[in-house]
Amino acid sequence: MISVAEARSRVLAALSPLPAELVGLTEALGRVTAEDVTARLTQPPVSMSAMDGYAVRCADVAQVPAKLRRIGEAPAGNAFKGHVGPGEAVRIFTGAPMPDGADAVVMQEDTESDGATVTVLRTVGRHRHVRLAGIDFRRGEVGIPAGRMLTARDVGLAAAMNWPWLRVRRRPRVAILATGDEIVLPGEPLGPDQIVSSNAFALAGLITACGGVPVNLGVALDTPESLARLVTGAERADILVTSGGASAGEYDLVRGVLGDRGMDLDFYKIAMRPGKPLMFGRLGDVPVLGLPGNPVSSQVCAVLFLRPALRRLLGLPAEEETRRTAVLGRPVKQNDQREDYLRASLSIGPDGELVANPFESQDSSLLTVLARADCLVVRPPFAPAASAGDTVEFLPLGGGVLSL
């Protein structure tokens, strides 16, 4: 068995970012930039008023009250064409270009006007209530770096920078193949020795959330012929993920069938709990990640290996969801030789500290426990027993207090 760290390193070393493609701005949300997005213009292009009021020379209102002659008006989108000289003011509205000669704006509530004359009641400094040209961004500046998963805010910035389309990484196509005679789909008739399939649906959800495109190949029966037939659907995938059929049992056929088809096996078995029977190799040009069939083990391994693999394919930087620390809310036992990932909830303690509370039962068949978990508390090999209040590391799963 190899360590989790070594296994993950091998998986990531075998992958590289996918090619780029152009998408329209309306399709860019959640995509990953393949190159820097630079401003195609300066924003604002000229200095503009940030308030409704009067454009003035600050020297003219250094002492108040100050009476100024109104010489014109500047609504948004229609600049005043003249020049503001000593003792003059221009009625201006938010977003209107600042007239030549003016260097500040007095808010209208700080003035009195009889039409031709404006009385300023409060002094303003230079550039007060003025948005200077280029204060947001200037032409050629990088607004969005390469390798960023675009948020709605990023899309808005790209639009403001005058980009109707963006170059992004192609979404990874991930083929999902579940195995087992005992598996039936949700809603199908259930025999006495069968279980309802959940792995493919959980994996598809994780893949979608990480920016990939799941391709469900179906459920292969425990025969070489069935498995070989369905695996052909992965020929154009960027990665094949199998669920089940990879351990040492008589009916666990994935390694054998894929090996017969030319799979180059990199490793098999990880020193971790849950998820010991994890496999990685390459079938032609397609990387293969073989997850355990146990639903909890499958999902934990997907978090540890599939999620970072998808990030690598998308050209994202190193895993953002690195290990964090919390204090234990309850004691845990000494660990053995396998790195353990305890399902736990998170809460905020009385002193504002983050508290990880491992669930009492860590049985790897309990999907309800995993669904309620906010994180995986990491217990290194041979870690000694820990008490409530001790500091531990954890991997976030999302939700709970971390979503606040």
Side-chain angles (χ1 to χ4, degrees):
M1 293 189 293
I2 63 174
S3 69
V4 172
E6 182 180 350
R8 183 160 144 162
S9 177
R10 289 193 195 180
V11 170
L12 296 182
L15 305 173
S16 57
L18 295 174
E21 63 182 6
L22 285 175
V23 299
L25 201 58
T26 56
E27 304 299 321
L29 181 66
R31 304 299 298 269
V32 177
T33 50
E35 60 187 15
D36 291 344
V37 180
T38 58
R40 303 174 79 185
L41 46 74
T42 296
Q43 179 66 25
V46 297
S47 295
M48 295 181 173
S49 175
M51 291 287 177
D52 291 347
Y54 291 88
V56 301
R57 298 175 352 126
C58 64
D60 289 337
V61 296
Q63 294 184 349
V64 292
K67 290 187 178 296
L68 305 176
R69 182 167 63 91
R70 175 173 170 167
I71 60 171
E73 178 175 288
N78 193 0
F80 176 73
K81 306 304 182 186
H83 181 86
V84 178
E88 295 177 339
V90 168
R91 180 76 168 109
I92 198 167
F93 296 88
T94 304
M98 287 292 290
D100 290 343
D103 58 8
V105 173
V106 180
M107 293 190 298
Q108 63 186 25
E109 50 264 49
D110 293 332
T111 65
E112 294 176 351
S113 176
D114 61 7
T117 302
V118 180
T119 301
V120 177
L121 305 176
R122 178 174 295 182
T123 62
V124 291
R126 189 167 180 262
H127 297 156
R128 181 63 172 164
H129 303 312
V130 176
R131 295 190 179 107
L132 297 176
I135 193 174
D136 196 356
F137 51 80
R138 292 188 176 276
R139 182 184 179 90
E141 288 183 349
V142 175
I144 306 169
R148 178 175 173 86
M149 185 171 284
L150 293 163
T151 66
R153 302 183 302 279
D154 296 324
V155 172
L157 177 58
M161 289 182 162
N162 201 27
W163 285 99
W165 39 261
L166 295 174
R167 188 173 293 277
V168 298
R169 294 291 176 189
R170 180 171 60 76
R171 292 186 187 274
R173 294 185 296 267
V174 184
I176 304 170
L177 177 60
T179 65
D181 289 343
E182 75 280 15
I183 301 298
V184 298
L185 296 177
E188 291 185 343
L190 189 64
D193 300 321
Q194 293 182 307
I195 59 174
V196 178
S197 173
S198 63
N199 288 358
F201 297 94
L203 291 172
L206 182 143
I207 292 163
T208 301
C210 292
V213 178
V215 180
N216 195 335
L217 302 182
V219 179
L221 301 178
D222 285 327
T223 66
E225 296 77 17
S226 176
L227 184 58
R229 177 174 54 84
L230 289 183
V231 82
T232 59
E235 291 176 353
R236 300 187 64 182
D238 297 303
I239 185 169
L240 167 63
V241 178
T242 65
S243 174
S247 63
E250 181 179 353
Y251 294 101
D252 296 319
L253 304 171
V254 172
R255 280 187 297 154
V257 171
L258 295 185
D260 290 343
R261 295 177 64 88
M263 183 181 72
D264 181 14
L265 181 65
D266 188 329
F267 63 79
Y268 165 63
K269 291 188 179 181
I270 309 297
M272 64 176 289
R273 182 192 302 105
K276 175 183 174 183
L278 185 133
M279 174 185 73
F280 182 69
R282 183 175 289 273
L283 183 61
D285 293 330
V286 182
V288 179
L289 182 64
L291 303 179
N294 180 292
V296 173
S297 300
S298 175
Q299 293 188 46
V300 170
C301 287
V303 169
L304 292 173
F305 298 99
L306 179 55
R307 187 165 65 181
L310 292 172
R311 292 181 63 84
R312 175 62 60 90
L313 291 172
L314 285 166
L316 288 165
E319 184 75 54
E320 292 177 352
E321 297 165 333
T322 52
R323 295 183 182 184
R324 298 175 57 179
T325 58
V327 298
L328 274 174
R330 63 188 305 165
V332 294
K333 297 178 181 180
Q334 179 180 352
N335 194 24
D336 61 14
Q337 73 275 15
R338 290 196 285 166
E339 190 160 275
D340 204 355
Y341 292 85
L342 305 177
R343 281 70 74 198
S345 63
L346 291 171
S347 60
I348 303 297
D351 297 325
E353 73 276 18
L354 202 56
V355 180
N357 298 282
F359 291 103
E360 184 174 358
S361 178
Q362 292 292 323
D363 191 293
S364 62
S365 68
L366 302 182
L367 276 173
T368 52
V369 170
L370 181 62
R372 293 198 299 267
D374 303 311
C375 70
L376 300 172
V377 170
V378 184
R379 298 283 290 150
F382 304 108
S387 303
D390 288 350
T391 299
V392 290
E393 291 186 329
F394 71 86
L395 283 171
L397 293 175
V401 297
L402 295 182
S403 64
L404 298 179

